[in-house]
Amino acid sequence: MKTAPRGITLMELLVVMGIFSLTVALTSSIFLLSNQAQRRVLAITAAQADLRFTLESIVREVRAGSIDYETYEAAGGIQAPSLNLIIRSASGSRLEFYKETNPSICPAGVAGCLAVRVDGVAQSVTSSGILLENLAFFITPQADPFSIDEDSGLYKADAQPTVTLALKVRTQGRRPEDIVTLNAQTTIAARSYVR
Amino acid sequence: MIERHVRSPHGARRGQSFIEAMVAITVIITAISSSLALIQSSITATRVGGMQVIAANLAREGLEVVRAARDTNWLMGRSFQVGLVDGAGNKTARPMLDTENGSWTLSFEPTSMGAANAAVYLMSDGVYRQADTPPTGGAASPYSRLLTLQHVCRDDGTGVERIVGSSATCLGSETLAGLAVYSTVRWRGAGGQQQTLAVEERLYDWR
């Protein structure tokens, strides 16, 4: 003997729909959250990688090369902070690190980037999606310790060339989770022992 | 769902038992919470990595300041240790940046890692600075930094080197051969946990 299948009561339907919509809402919110987190992780990783690369490229040049005091002197001396860092590299070329805003040099869509001018030709060091907000160099001593002052017959300064660089980068993006700001700073003492 | 319900011999429908419901709910909650925990930990790990890059650079800065001071002593034709060994025997120092001309000095004012004067401040122009009192225009950063400069003593007879700790100095039969420099950066991470990064370098009186 078979009993006829009983239908679903309104109450049961409501409960089922309630649970179902709750589950859907919960899973979609988790999905959105994980998506957001993923984007944030991506942004932090990108900023971090770029920061590391940028810092290391400057550190390497300061260590191996020497500060181009001649160019600074011709331009009126070294400011504190200085907006650029001019290095005479070990191979003899002149490198200038500075903040570039020219869109034809910076990666597409970036309003400011850290660029290096090698013998007059500029190219960006920071990659696309990374905005350079701030760049400052502190160069000490402010006069060349390896050249002699003609008037006094003494060396112009008695200190090992040291460069402190502070930079602030921001990842670019439309959503708030895409935007990460990192402030980094380091100091490098030149490894050249001329005197 | 309803068709799949097993009927009891009496023809009455058997619902899900309370235990079954509890098991199902537990499984769902475990799945959700573990995925949330995973997301959280991945964010934290990345943020820790980001702060580590900054901390490593701040730590290197400490070492380079000491190195530059030693090299400057050479340029000035004086002993390598001038200004690096405190007369009062303090071996902890803080590198201080003079933003007027970009020069660095070491301050041997008594300090420790937890002390307020070991804190690193982030200035509005993006420069990290340490100061005796909070500088104007500076905001507290999560970082603190401390340098420890310990003496490397070489025995005149045997040539054996040793690092002397605390406030001790080299013995009469030893020469100060160099300095063991430790640069420690401590910061409070994203999850409120304390992280420490220490780098070490030996600076000797030879190039």
Side-chain angles (χ1 to χ4, degrees):
Chain A
M1 186 186 121
K2 241 180 162 186
T3 47
R6 204 161 57 90
I8 320 164
T9 65
L10 183 66
M11 208 53 213
E12 280 175 341
L13 190 71
L14 279 176
V15 168
V16 166
M17 277 173 70
I19 293 172
F20 181 72
S21 52
L22 207 74
T23 317
V24 168
L26 214 67
T27 27
S28 56
S29 75
I30 289 175
F31 175 74
L32 281 176
L33 199 73
S34 70
N35 209 8
Q36 227 171 60
Q38 201 56 46
R39 294 179 75 103
R40 180 133 198 103
V41 165
L42 216 68
I44 298 174
T45 315
Q48 210 181 304
D50 221 68
L51 197 67
R52 194 180 289 141
F53 174 75
T54 308
L55 282 168
E56 288 314 312
S57 12
I58 299 176
V59 167
R60 202 174 48 234
E61 294 305 336
V62 174
R63 279 196 179 152
S66 56
I67 294 160
D68 190 350
Y69 283 102
E70 262 176 56
T71 307
Y72 278 116
E73 271 167 32
I78 294 174
Q79 307 293 313
S82 171
L83 295 176
N84 64 356
L85 173 67
I86 309 172
I87 301 277
R88 185 66 70 170
S89 82
S91 59
S93 37
R94 180 186 294 162
L95 308 176
E96 182 189 358
F97 292 95
Y98 65 103
K99 182 184 175 180
E100 180 61 85
T101 49
N102 186 344
S104 63
I105 294 169
C106 286
V110 181
C113 63
L114 194 147
V116 57
R117 198 177 278 133
V118 185
D119 295 328
V121 184
Q123 63 180 80
S124 175
V125 179
T126 45
S127 58
S128 62
I130 305 289
L131 174 75
L132 179 74
E133 285 207 326
N134 228 330
L135 178 70
F137 296 101
F138 290 94
I139 304 162
T140 185
Q142 287 169 316
D144 189 0
F146 304 123
S147 81
I148 289 170
D149 185 56
E150 281 164 15
D151 297 332
S152 65
L154 300 167
Y155 283 107
K156 288 176 185 168
D158 274 326
Q160 185 72 6
T162 306
V163 176
T164 300
L165 70 120
L167 54 96
K168 183 178 181 184
V169 293
R170 191 161 66 94
T171 53
Q172 288 201 308
R174 276 170 292 129
R175 303 185 192 188
E177 64 263 26
D178 292 343
I179 295 166
V180 173
T181 309
L182 288 177
N183 271 295
Q185 178 178 317
T186 200
T187 296
I188 323 105
R191 297 291 194 268
S192 55
Y193 300 108
V194 182
R195 281 162 59 180
Chain B
M1 282 279 270
I2 289 159
E3 274 76 23
R4 280 169 54 200
H5 282 162
V6 183
R7 289 163 189 282
S8 72
H10 306 287
R13 288 149 161 286
R14 195 163 62 90
Q16 280 166 323
S17 74
F18 182 66
I19 301 287
E20 280 170 347
M22 286 304 284
V23 167
I25 288 170
T26 312
V27 168
I28 290 169
I29 288 174
T30 311
I32 289 172
S33 59
S34 61
S35 68
L36 280 176
L38 214 65
I39 292 166
Q40 188 60 43
S41 72
S42 106
I43 294 182
T44 312
T46 323
R47 205 168 288 169
V48 164
M51 294 183 89
Q52 219 153 29
V53 174
I54 295 164
N57 279 294
L58 286 175
R60 166 167 62 195
E61 181 167 87
L63 293 184
E64 293 283 328
V65 167
V66 181
R67 172 184 279 273
R70 178 201 62 173
D71 295 355
T72 297
N73 283 335
W74 283 340
L75 286 181
M76 296 181 89
R78 58 193 189 193
S79 169
F80 82 101
Q81 48 156 356
V82 176
L84 301 178
V85 176
D86 184 48
N90 288 320
K91 290 190 174 178
T92 53
R94 293 166 299 150
M96 313 286 255
L97 173 67
D98 182 351
T99 46
E100 294 288 312
N101 57 15
S103 68
W104 287 90
T105 45
L106 287 177
S107 165
F108 282 92
E109 286 282 306
T111 180
S112 64
M113 206 48 177
N117 62 1
V120 178
Y121 296 92
L122 180 60
M123 309 305 287
S124 52
D125 56 356
V127 176
Y128 286 104
R129 272 185 67 189
Q130 281 179 280
D132 293 322
T133 50
T136 46
S141 81
Y143 306 95
S144 310
R145 177 174 54 190
L146 202 63
L147 296 175
T148 309
L149 292 89
Q150 291 184 335
H151 300 195
V152 178
C153 300
R154 189 191 296 123
D155 191 282
D156 294 333
T158 61
V160 174
E161 279 178 10
R162 67 181 184 107
I163 297 173
V164 292
S166 62
S167 60
T169 48
C170 297
L171 302 171
S173 60
E174 290 172 328
T175 318
L176 182 65
L179 292 164
V181 186
Y182 305 89
S183 181
T184 314
V185 174
R186 194 164 83 177
W187 72 99
R188 203 164 280 284
Q193 295 152 296
Q194 221 158 56
Q195 313 268 340
T196 306
L197 192 140
V199 285
E200 179 192 345
E201 194 176 27
R202 304 257 176 105
L203 295 172
Y204 287 94
D205 190 15
W206 43 258
R207 12 192 146 173

